[in-house]
Amino acid sequence: DVKVTQSSRYLVKRTGEKVFLECVQDMDHENMFWYRQDPGLGLRLIYFSYDVKMKEKGDIPEGYSVSREKKERFSLILESASTNQTSMYLCASSSGGEGTGELFFGEGSRLTVL
Amino acid sequence: AQKVTQAQTEISVVEKEDVTLDCVYETRDTTYYLFWYKQPPSGELVFLIRRNSFDEQNEISGRYSWNFQKSTSSFNFTITASQVVDSAVYFCALSEYYLQTGANNLFFGTGTRLTVIP
């Protein structure tokens, strides 16, 4: 069974803390994504990666960075968490090439910043 | 830039009623893909369907059906004889292909929360 696994379902952090959200996929997918989901705003793309060590900014990259050292792992980093980063974070992966595009999602990580 | 509009924020229906979820999109691409995803209370988004922009045939899968109309840029989703298990947030999405990187991104609508009342 294909799987995208996010390391933490629920996190509570304090303002200014550094936060790591980890995502691992077992489908050998080239592309990996981090989305943020907020009520009334749908899913918004933060960053995506199309290959190891390669990354592209999405629609809302400010305050975030990412790391992809291995094909199966894509990490989202909040260097200094702020309360407006309280949200649900969704990781996804997909195979490369035109004509695909189906994203496989993890269960999400709900982050609360106090 | 891609845009997806789901004007219905929340819908409630009584079990066994039919319900249609609307999706309107904007794109300048000639080739694109449209998707529907379901997000049950557990949180994980579940893929329902992908439709190629060149294929305007309607599709039916059990109680689910999709009506793709390129002329009105719409890709509506109908659930027939709704059940309580259909209660979820449903997202419509539109693809964008990055030729230089070979990556596909999806632009999501804001979602429609469907509640099926027993």
Side-chain angles (χ1 to χ4, degrees):
Chain A
D1 200 15
V2 296
K3 200 92 174 137
V4 176
T5 304
Q6 295 183 228
S7 54
S8 305
R9 290 296 305 274
Y10 301 95
L11 302 95
V12 180
K13 298 292 182 180
R14 296 207 173 273
T15 301
E17 279 193 79
K18 191 169 187 176
V19 182
F20 291 89
L21 299 179
E22 303 281 339
C23 176
V24 177
Q25 50 98 1
D26 64 1
M27 295 166 279
D28 200 35
H29 281 165
E30 289 80 6
N31 306 318
M32 295 188 75
F33 306 80
W34 275 105
Y35 286 88
R36 171 177 170 161
Q37 182 179 5
D38 299 289
L41 297 177
L43 277 71
R44 294 179 293 168
L45 181 66
I46 304 172
Y47 268 97
F48 72 96
S49 168
Y50 53 92
D51 202 349
V52 175
K53 297 190 187 292
M54 306 304 288
K55 61 185 180 185
E56 289 285 344
K57 292 180 180 179
D59 299 319
I60 52 164
E62 296 79 18
Y64 303 95
S65 62
V66 290
S67 172
R68 191 158 180 212
E69 297 296 319
K70 293 185 178 181
K71 191 176 185 179
E72 68 271 17
R73 189 179 297 271
F74 191 36
S75 302
L76 179 69
I77 303 154
L78 288 68
E79 292 289 341
S80 178
S82 62
T83 55
N84 62 12
Q85 293 179 309
T86 291
S87 186
M88 171 71 88
Y89 291 89
L90 294 166
C91 176
S93 70
S94 72
S95 55
E98 193 170 13
T100 53
E102 178 187 343
L103 266 60
F104 295 84
F105 283 87
E107 291 184 317
S109 298
R110 185 168 293 282
L111 172 67
T112 301
V113 183
L114 301 175
Chain B
Q2 318 292 67
K3 185 177 179 182
V4 177
T5 301
Q6 294 180 257
Q8 304 151 309
T9 307
E10 295 190 29
I11 300 176
S12 292
V13 297
V14 176
E15 200 171 21
K16 297 184 183 176
E17 286 184 349
D18 299 347
V19 59
T20 295
L21 309 182
D22 298 332
C23 174
V24 174
Y25 63 93
E26 293 177 31
T27 180
R28 294 181 180 175
D29 295 344
T30 53
T31 301
Y32 52 89
Y33 290 81
L34 293 158
F35 297 77
W36 276 95
Y37 279 83
K38 175 182 179 180
Q39 187 179 40
S42 61
E44 185 173 343
L45 273 83
V46 177
F47 167 80
L48 295 178
I49 189 171
R50 175 180 61 221
R51 177 48 51 115
N52 183 309
S53 56
F54 293 111
D55 182 2
E56 291 193 65
Q57 276 194 330
N58 291 333
E59 182 156 341
I60 298 174
S61 176
R63 296 183 298 106
Y64 295 171
S65 62
W66 290 269
N67 182 359
F68 176 31
Q69 293 199 343
K70 217 167 176 179
S71 59
T72 56
S73 297
S74 65
F75 186 44
N76 297 337
F77 172 32
T78 297
I79 302 174
T80 303
S82 60
Q83 300 176 1
V84 173
V85 294
D86 296 327
S87 295
V89 180
Y90 291 87
F91 290 95
C92 180
L94 171 65
S95 68
E96 181 174 44
Y97 176 63
Y98 299 94
L99 185 62
Q100 285 184 322
T101 63
N104 288 283
N105 178 32
L106 290 187
F107 287 85
F108 286 83
T110 51
T112 298
R113 180 177 297 278
L114 174 65
T115 302
V116 181
I117 303 164

